[in-house]
DNA sequence: ACCTGAACACCGTTCAAGT
DNA sequence: ACCTGAACACCGTTCAAGT
């Protein structure tokens, strides 16, 4: 029982693993990142990862939670700017993580853990976008399909890089319609 | 030189491998399908696959070409029906292959072969959709963003299953705008 | 030209053993 | 409770060898 092992060691170690995984997953990609390389960066052994996380996919979910919290930090201060700009801001922040967007969709069809995270993520983002639309005075029966189209547009923009002017054109079209 | 080896053996064998891979990739998923299982279904050895295809990803591209040709067969006869219904028809036909849609996007970021196929696919579908929009009398400067939004909507519908009535609502909104 | 057997390097995961 | 060494089963891929 060494006295230098403080009680927050657990969260620290786990946080280091998540941080290492977050960098590698976004840069190298989830599939191409081996747990050995995650362990190396985090300064632990492969098996240690399994003490903290049930599987590689469970580690991915922890990474996603971490990045989401990070990405959402600051979205509140933007409550005053127009909806289109707010969405554009979100797209800009998520752009470096684009690789993970496709990874999540690919894994959601086979991995229950990832599927659960994906469903929860959509529930949250749908709610945020739907609220924004209602406050813009969109008639209630159009809120649901427009929310869906808006989310599809955001996902599409993340998966297919485009200059910002064209991103804006697509989002405006999705929210305001032609003209 | 056995006399029962006909000259079309090569295409036959390769077609059998593609057919086996097409079934397994769509049902089990690309990542979860091992080349051993493909070989077993096709009645060959794993190494034989490498005689016909450069890699597992090259085999995927062959499968995609095969399925695309199959899916596009019959789209011409629909030239008279409204654009929304035509897109809905395409979505319906691709729905069982939804797993592959996400796989292609996931691999496109790391595999040049798959990225090339993905780019070509988008070029073709963009053209088809843009032509349809022009014939519907959409003003030229709106054709490009509307095509993009339309493709994003289709991909979104493939990645997130929805009842047909809601699929139609999203597509109508993308093409006709609110009201 | 076409196909195989046997190996290679690597992967996610497990488990008995240590502290 | 936490971590490790060593192994497991499996994977995509390669290559020398056969016909």
């Amino acid at each position: 029982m060494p006295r230098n092992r403080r009680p927050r060691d657990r969260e620290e170690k786990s946080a280091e693993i998540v941080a290492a995984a977050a960098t590698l997953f976004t840069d190298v990609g989830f599939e191409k990142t081996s747990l050995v390389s995650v362990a190396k960066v985090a300064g632990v052994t492969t098996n240690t990862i399994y003490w903290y996380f049930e599987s590689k996919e469970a580690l991915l979910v922890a990474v996603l939670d971490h990045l989401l919290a990070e990405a959402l930090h600051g979205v509140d201060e933007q409550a005053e700017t127009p909806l289109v700009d707010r969405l554009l801001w979100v797209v800009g922040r998520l752009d470096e993580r684009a690789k993970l967007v496709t990874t999540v969709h690919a894994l959601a069809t086979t991995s229950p853990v990832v599927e659960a995270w994906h469903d929860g993520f959509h529930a949250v983002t749908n709610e945020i976008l739907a609220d924004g639309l209602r406050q813009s005075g969109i008639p209630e029966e159009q809120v649901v399909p427009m929310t869906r189209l808006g989310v599809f547009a955001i996902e599409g923009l993340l998966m297919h890089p485009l200059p910002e002017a064209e991103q804006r054109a697509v989002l405006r079209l999705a929210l305001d319609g032609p003209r």
Side-chain angles (χ1 to χ4, degrees), chain A residues 3 11 15 23 37-38 44 48 52 86 95 106 124 143 146 169 177:
Chain A
R3 66 157 61 97
E11 298 112 66
T23 314
S37 65
V38 175
V44 296
T48 305
Y52 292 96
R86 243 146 75 212
D95 236 356
V124 169
V143 167
M146 197 176 284

Side-chain angles (χ1 to χ4, degrees), chain A residues 12 16-17 39 59 98 147 156:
Chain A
E12 267 179 26
E16 272 167 35
I17 296 173
L59 175 57
T147 301

Side-chain angles (χ1 to χ4, degrees), chain A residues 80-125:
Chain A
E80 298 309 311
T81 56
L83 188 54
V84 172
D85 294 271
R86 243 146 75 212
L87 296 185
L88 221 46
W89 180 83
V90 170
V91 170
R93 290 210 103 191
L94 289 178
D95 236 356
E96 303 107 70
R97 321 297 191 178
K99 229 176 266 187
L100 282 183
V101 175
T102 65
T103 301
V104 167
H105 284 111
L107 289 179
T109 62
T110 51
S111 156
V113 223
V114 179
E115 189 189 10
W117 188 89
H118 173 256
D119 291 350
F121 176 74
H122 268 287
V124 169
T125 51

Side-chain angles (χ1 to χ4, degrees), chain A residues 69-85:
Chain A
E70 202 179 76
L72 249 44
H73 187 260
V75 76
D76 294 342
E77 295 130 39
Q78 301 229 334
E80 298 309 311
T81 56
L83 188 54
V84 172
D85 294 271

